Amino acid sequence: GAGVSQTPSNKVTEKGKYVELRCDPISGHTALYWYRQSLGQGPEFLIYFQGTGAADDSGLPNDRFFAVRPEGSVSTLKIQRTERGDSAVYLCASSPGAGGEQYFGPGTRLTVT
Amino acid sequence: GEDVEQSLFLSVREGDSSVINCTYTDSSSTYLYWYKQEPGAGLQLLTYIFSNMDMKQDQRLTVLLNKKDKHLSLRIADTQTGDSAIYFCAGDQGGKLIFGQGTELSVKP
């Protein structure tokens, strides 16, 4: 079956621009997670949705970062006024329910120049 | 908050066993996970263990959990060159996963 998909796979943007990263979870999975992975580090939690609502957004670094999941399936991570320090791989994961094992997508590599 | 630590590198010969270690600070995780990441790829869930278990075996993989010492290990039997990758342990904290920094496993023929 289809796994978690993320688009685009790579995104290069200039400092100060706005970007959107998309995640399509495994069909039927109600929980969706966003993580950020910097080079040589483990993934760091950003935000987690249960259905349409954000259950925990404690990992979002500042108010430039925002995520939505309006219909409880696809999610979009939005970053305003990008900075060079935002460059990382953004990973999305989904699980059948809250607290279940998480299955990751291939990630979006964001480069801010 | 939770802190998860792993040694950074491990090198073994093909056919040997590999043991990757992980220590964590918060004992409230319900599950502890092992993920594998190959270069340029996403994270692949390898196995996980419920916090009230001491051991779980899954084919070539054996997970040991010592709750008293807050120590988790992953043993890979008969390590193959295809096992070369970065291995992450993670604990769940209210749904989100807290990851270690990863152990790079290098398997030499």
Side-chain angles (χ1 to χ4, degrees), chain A residues 33 35 37 40-43 45 48 56 58 91 99-102 104-105, chain B residues 31 33 35 37 40-43 45 48 88 94-97 99-101:
Chain A
Y33 310 79
Y35 294 84
Q37 187 176 24
Q41 301 295 316
F45 170 77
Y48 138 52
D56 183 348
S58 62
L91 296 166
E101 61 269 26
Q102 297 181 24
F104 281 78
Chain B
Y31 291 95
Y33 298 86
Y35 283 85
Q37 188 173 40
L43 292 158
L45 177 62
Y48 60 93
F88 293 94
K96 64 190 179 192
L97 293 180
F99 286 86
Q101 68 268 50

Side-chain angles (χ1 to χ4, degrees), chain A:
Chain A
V4 178
S5 63
Q6 294 187 244
T7 54
S9 55
N10 281 284
K11 176 72 177 177
V12 180
T13 191
E14 292 179 350
K15 179 176 176 298
K17 299 289 190 185
Y18 168 83
V19 296
E20 290 190 351
L21 312 179
R22 176 187 167 107
C23 172
D24 268 281
I26 293 171
S27 178
H29 280 194
T30 61
L32 184 148
Y33 310 79
W34 284 99
Y35 294 84
R36 178 167 72 173
Q37 187 176 24
S38 300
L39 194 63
Q41 301 295 316
E44 291 180 308
F45 170 77
L46 294 176
I47 184 170
Y48 138 52
F49 289 89
Q50 179 58 42
T52 60
D56 183 348
D57 65 357
S58 62
L60 295 177
N62 51 59
D63 61 7
R64 295 186 297 105
F65 289 75
F66 189 71
V68 295
R69 195 185 185 202
E71 296 176 0
S73 178
V74 169
S75 177
T76 305
L77 178 65
K78 308 180 182 199
I79 310 174
Q80 298 178 319
R81 304 183 305 279
T82 50
E83 299 178 357
R84 292 195 182 89
D86 299 334
S87 296
V89 176
Y90 289 80
L91 296 166
C92 177
S94 69
S95 67
E101 61 269 26
Q102 297 181 24
Y103 297 92
F104 281 78
T108 294
R109 181 175 298 277
L110 175 67
T111 304
V112 182
T113 63

